[in-house]
Amino acid sequence: MRIRVIGAPIDLGADRRGVDIGPRAIRYAGLIDQLQRLGHSVNDVGNINIPLPENQPTGNPRLKYLEPITKLADELSATVSDALEAEEFPLILGGDHSMALGSISGVARVHKNVGVIWVDAHADFNVEETTPSGNIHGMILAALAGLGDESLVNVGGWAPKIDKNKIVIIGARDLDTGEQKLLREHNIHVFTMSDIDRRGISYVMQQAIEIAGADNGPIHLSLDLDSLDPREAPGVGTPVRGGLSYREAHFAMEMIAESQRMVSMDVVEVNSILDRENTTAQLAVELTLSALGKKIL
Ligand SMILES: NC(=[NH2+])NCCC[C@H](N)C(=O)O
Ligand SMILES: [Mn+2]
Ligand SMILES: [Mn+2]
């Protein structure tokens, strides 16, 4: 496969600094080389240009950095559509999870029926009224489903980007009260850590692939590294105990590869300032490889 690697070192959507180093850290951990060794050809187009938060007005404290975030989403979205039109698989490196507004909009423009598997400790399903932090990375999935602030929802000029019935969240264990209510109201498929404990990661992933890829549709995978247990992935801005084990995460990625339905992928929230000797970036590389076909035997 031909893979286009796109760095999106955005950190305007989160409070803790350091995710802007993520794309470099993931490359330093050997991403490109290992993808090539797996047999893929790689076109690394570098990073999109991100303004420093220091030079941006925060704006509405319940929607911090809204303006630059939507602007970057437009730009990233165009880059991602471009890759797909050139028949390259977009692999987008974050950055905080707000970059998925751009990446997924770009995919949805080309693949109208795309479903999303969102692997995350969080649901990122807040809106202005429910957010406890004002951080837009916690609102992106809702925006893609058509909920929340108009300028987030209408990036690219159309909405919603994703059919709510084709959204699956996996690994959730830290949801805000208003967010829980929204998820229930809109019947979003959420497989929490309890569901994974009860049914096993294999059953959960099989269901997730069926739901997100309904009617043989394509799937976008958005992998937030904080889905993993912080013992495995210490370098994330919003760690939550009780996450996916190393083995569960690898197996989940292997099942996605096996399904042959994935058309694009985000790897987000690697925070190098909080990391230990690039462990989390290395893990991000390993998991990306599993999702893109690496097998044990
Ligand atoms: N992409 C993430 N790591 N999101 C964390 C979101 C945390 C919290 N739910 C919030 O809205 O602020
Ligand atoms: Mn997230
Ligand atoms: Mn998260």
Side-chain angles (χ1 to χ4, degrees), residues 97 120-122 124 224 226-227 238 269:
H97 221 156
D120 201 326
H122 311 92
D124 296 344
D224 184 329
D226 70 30
S227 58
T238 42
E269 299 280 349

Side-chain angles (χ1 to χ4, degrees), residues 34-215:
Q34 293 190 52
L35 283 171
Q36 285 167 342
R37 251 185 283 160
L38 199 58
H40 297 298
S41 74
V42 182
N43 175 15
D44 185 350
V45 296
N47 294 344
I48 63 166
N49 219 358
I50 310 281
L52 290 170
E54 285 85 344
N55 300 333
Q56 297 292 320
T58 317
N60 180 348
R62 305 192 65 82
L63 287 160
K64 294 186 276 192
Y65 301 108
L66 176 63
E67 219 178 287
I69 287 173
T70 51
K71 196 170 148 253
L72 288 163
D74 275 326
E75 197 183 321
L76 180 57
S77 152
T79 309
V80 167
S81 300
D82 222 54
L84 288 166
E85 269 147 20
E87 285 178 22
E88 293 184 344
F89 176 101
L91 173 59
I92 310 101
L93 313 177
D96 72 60
H97 221 156
S98 68
M99 68 76 138
L101 183 60
S103 63
I104 295 179
S105 297
V107 178
R109 188 185 294 120
V110 178
H111 294 290
K112 310 257 181 280
N113 60 340
V114 68
V116 171
I117 298 184
W118 192 272
V119 185
D120 201 326
H122 311 92
D124 296 344
F125 216 80
N126 273 305
V127 295
E128 181 179 358
E129 293 75 24
T130 64
T131 176
S133 62
N135 293 331
I136 288 181
H137 73 158
M139 311 180 194
I140 293 306
L141 193 52
L144 289 163
L147 306 173
D149 179 81
E150 244 178 68
S151 52
L152 287 177
V153 168
N154 292 323
V155 158
W158 90 102
K161 305 298 185 299
I162 307 294
D163 174 354
K164 284 186 284 203
N165 301 316
K166 289 191 181 179
I167 291 176
V168 186
I169 300 166
I170 292 174
R173 55 192 183 279
D174 181 17
L175 306 173
D176 304 309
T177 312
E179 190 179 33
Q180 290 174 332
K181 214 175 135 228
L182 272 181
L183 289 165
R184 283 202 214 98
E185 249 171 53
H186 294 275
N187 284 316
I188 305 298
H189 294 99
V190 185
F191 292 102
T192 65
M193 287 311 298
S194 328
D195 296 318
I196 295 171
D197 288 340
R198 193 184 310 272
R199 312 298 302 265
I201 191 71
S202 160
Y203 170 84
V204 165
M205 286 310 296
Q206 179 228 316
Q207 292 287 305
I209 290 163
E210 252 174 56
I211 296 165
D215 312 316

